């Protein structure tokens, strides 16, 4: 008997991957919509300045350079791992056939809710285009369910849908008056309402196509990214503590973002109350969670909040990382990877909060783990 137990222990130690292989994801698939915060390579083959398929992007990523706008994993990469997927959700641009069943990432750098958002950077897939691409995916998936719509709908109803839109509608639209007219046409509140009208229609389209478990990520503290700090502040470059960062943020932008996020929560409540039958929406409060990281920096290990780990100009905040540029060495201590995007270390914290936090101030009205179990 002792020899049998010893043999079993030897098998487990020698072949730990056997245990992992036997486990199954908590949901059958994950479908992702968004911008550069979650893009994993869809922009690589199009004519745009919004691309990251060169070093030092991906310097800490297991697959190397892929087009992810960070040094390692994005928030949705970490979420996929937390949900039990054995590999990351692949980009739509390179995924075909039965691989679609595990889910697809449709996100595109510079994309927004509005079609014109991000045009200053070149080509991209706005949310409307991403929804269209998902509709094409649904048509391709029919063959794997023998054309049975009910079976396909049953499968899609168990999948997680993640949508993170709105950042560029402010960064590369409303607060870029030299290129766009929206700030002259709308007050901040009216603009937020206009965005939510469009966004709600897009999310309803996903619902009509079969989505039922839908995570919507709020817009983060855009007024506190290195790009905005570099534009609106000229002093105290070497002061990295959290209080100075708060004082130096562009609160006009942050206040506009709060209006959008507040309206997004109301939309979630409306859809969960029965307006979309059978749907379960979750709101991820990225704005509040990022502020919490700064306020409790020591517990998370972050020391630098207003500078990019790589980039150009004041606070490394004027443009993204240059090709082959050497980034900072202490990347886990930086909140931001470049002028706009978070480091892998920050993405891990945000993803874990969204997945398992019990605080409604982080994720509402439930966390993603609870959503997956429904």
């Amino acid at each position: 008997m002792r020899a049998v137990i010893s043999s079993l222990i030897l098998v487990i130690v020698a072949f730990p991957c056997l245990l992992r292989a036997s486990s199954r994801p908590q949901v059958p698939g994950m479908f992702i919509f968004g911008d550069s915060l979650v893009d994993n390579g869809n922009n690589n083959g199009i004519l745009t300045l919004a691309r990251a398929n060169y070093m030092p992007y991906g310097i800490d990523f297991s697959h190397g350079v892929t087009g992810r706008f960070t040094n390692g994993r994005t928030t949705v990469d970490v979420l996929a791992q937390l949900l039990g997927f054995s590999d990351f959700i692949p980009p739509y641009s390179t995924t075909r056939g039965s691989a679609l069943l595990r889910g697809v990432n449709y996100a595109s750098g510079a994309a927004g809710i509005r079609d014109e958002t991000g045009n200053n950077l070149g080509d991209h897939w706005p949310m409307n285009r991403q929804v269209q691409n998902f509709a094409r995916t649904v048509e391709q998936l029919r063959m794997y369910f023998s054309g049975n719509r009910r079976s396909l709908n049953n499968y899609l109803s168990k999948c997680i849908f993640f949508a993170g839109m709105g950042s560029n509608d402010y960064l590369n639209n409303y607060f870029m008056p030299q290129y766009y007219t929206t700030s002259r046409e709308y007050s901040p509140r009216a603009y937020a309402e206009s965005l939510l009208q469009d966004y709600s229609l897009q999310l309803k389209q996903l619902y009509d196509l079969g989505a039922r478990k839908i995570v919507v990520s709020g817009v983060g503290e855009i007024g506190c990214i290195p790009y905005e700090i570099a534009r609106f502040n000229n002093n105290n470059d070497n002061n990295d503590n959290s209080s100075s960062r708060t004082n130096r943020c562009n609160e006009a932008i942050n206040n506009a973002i709060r209006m959008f996020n507040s309206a997004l929560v109301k939309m979630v409540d409306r859809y969960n109350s029965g307006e979309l039958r059978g749907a379960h929406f979750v709101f991820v409060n990225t704005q509040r969670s990022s502020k919490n990281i700064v306020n409790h920096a020591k517990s998370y290990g972050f020391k630098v909040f207003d500078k990019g780990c790589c980039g150009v100009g004041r606070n490394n905040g004027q443009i993204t990382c240059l090709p082959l540029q050497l980034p900072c060495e202490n990347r886990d201590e930086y909140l931001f990877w470049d002028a706009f995007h978070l480091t892998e270390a920050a993405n891990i914290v945000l993803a874990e909060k969204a997945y398992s936090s019990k605080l409604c101030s982080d994720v509402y009205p439930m966390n993603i783990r609870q959503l997956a179990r429904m």
Side-chain angles (χ1 to χ4, degrees):
M1 183 68 179
R2 185 175 299 172
V4 172
I5 294 175
S6 298
S7 298
L8 288 173
I9 293 174
L10 180 61
V11 169
I12 291 172
V13 172
F15 302 101
C17 58
L18 292 178
L19 296 179
R20 290 196 295 270
S22 64
S23 63
R24 301 178 66 178
Q26 297 160 36
V27 293
M30 184 176 181
F31 296 89
I32 300 160
F33 306 81
D35 52 31
S36 59
L37 295 175
V38 293
D39 184 357
N40 64 347
N42 286 314
N43 275 20
N44 291 352
I46 61 180
L47 188 60
T48 178
L49 295 174
R51 57 195 303 167
N53 56 336
Y54 58 86
M55 287 291 283
Y57 290 96
I59 190 172
D60 299 313
F61 189 60
S62 58
H63 297 7
V65 176
T66 59
R68 287 168 167 82
F69 290 74
T70 183
N71 58 306
R73 289 168 291 171
T74 65
T75 53
V76 292
D77 288 331
V78 179
L79 282 173
Q81 292 178 318
L82 291 171
L83 287 166
F85 288 96
S86 60
D87 203 353
F88 305 112
I89 305 302
Y92 175 75
S93 60
T94 58
T95 306
R96 299 292 182 272
S98 61
L100 297 170
L101 288 165
R102 194 166 54 88
V104 187
N105 187 326
Y106 303 91
S108 173
I113 296 169
R114 296 172 67 99
D115 286 348
E116 83 275 9
T117 289
N119 283 345
N120 52 299
L121 295 172
D123 197 10
H124 60 279
W125 297 346
M127 184 61 174
N128 282 323
R129 171 75 179 276
Q130 293 180 37
V131 173
Q132 291 171 7
N133 287 340
F134 174 64
R136 296 187 181 97
T137 297
V138 171
E139 288 302 314
Q140 295 176 61
L141 288 175
R142 286 182 187 274
M143 63 180 292
Y144 298 101
F145 294 88
S146 302
N148 188 315
R149 180 72 188 188
R150 179 174 295 181
S151 296
L152 174 57
N153 285 344
N154 182 57
Y155 155 77
L156 290 173
S157 71
K158 298 175 182 177
C159 295
I160 291 287
F161 288 75
F162 178 97
M165 277 291 185
S167 297
N168 285 308
D169 292 293
Y170 287 94
L171 267 180
N172 289 299
N173 193 322
Y174 192 75
F175 287 102
M176 192 173 280
Q178 69 275 26
Y179 198 97
Y180 299 95
T181 62
T182 46
S183 61
R184 297 187 290 275
E185 297 171 350
Y186 299 92
S187 68
R189 187 169 301 280
Y191 187 64
E193 292 173 353
S194 175
L195 286 179
L196 260 296
Q197 287 177 1
D198 293 340
Y199 201 20
S200 63
L201 291 175
Q202 293 159 350
L203 294 173
K204 282 180 180 178
Q205 286 181 285
L206 293 182
Y207 172 85
D208 291 339
L209 288 165
R212 291 298 181 268
K213 298 180 180 181
I214 304 174
V215 178
V216 288
S217 180
V219 177
E221 290 268 278
I222 290 180
C224 297
I225 65 175
Y227 174 74
E228 293 299 338
I229 292 176
R231 288 180 65 202
F232 291 94
N233 297 276
N234 297 313
N235 302 311
N236 303 321
D237 279 348
N238 296 319
N239 194 339
D240 293 322
N241 63 62
S242 60
S243 62
S244 69
R245 173 184 183 270
T246 301
N247 292 335
R248 297 167 63 198
C249 295
N250 185 330
E251 290 304 324
I253 295 179
N254 287 339
N255 288 334
I257 296 303
R258 290 186 188 99
M259 294 177 190
F260 174 83
N261 287 338
S262 178
L264 192 55
V265 173
K266 292 178 181 178
M267 184 199 73
V268 166
D269 279 336
R270 192 170 69 250
Y271 287 164
N272 285 340
S273 67
E275 185 172 321
L276 295 183
R277 184 179 178 183
H280 301 283
F281 277 75
V282 165
F283 170 74
V284 177
N285 196 341
T286 306
Q287 189 174 33
R288 179 68 65 87
S289 294
S290 59
K291 289 184 69 173
N292 180 268
I293 291 175
V294 174
N295 293 336
H296 301 87
K298 288 185 178 179
S299 62
Y300 296 111
F302 295 108
K303 295 181 179 180
V304 185
F305 311 109
D306 62 352
K307 293 180 174 64
C309 181
C310 70
V312 174
R314 185 182 302 280
N315 293 48
N316 280 343
Q318 293 185 346
I319 60 173
T320 54
C321 307
L322 295 176
L324 303 179
Q325 181 181 10
L326 290 177
C328 64
E329 294 182 357
N330 53 333
R331 294 185 278 278
D332 288 346
E333 297 179 358
Y334 276 68
L335 185 66
F336 290 98
W337 165 247
D338 61 16
F340 305 94
H341 307 98
L342 298 171
T343 57
E344 178 187 66
N347 286 330
I348 291 172
V349 175
L350 292 178
E352 289 178 343
K353 282 180 176 290
Y355 178 75
S356 60
S357 177
K358 297 179 180 180
L359 300 175
C360 285
S361 57
D362 290 331
V363 57
Y364 171 84
M366 69 185 79
N367 60 44
I368 294 175
R369 177 166 56 190
Q370 293 168 323
L371 178 67
R373 291 173 177 172
M374 296 189 72

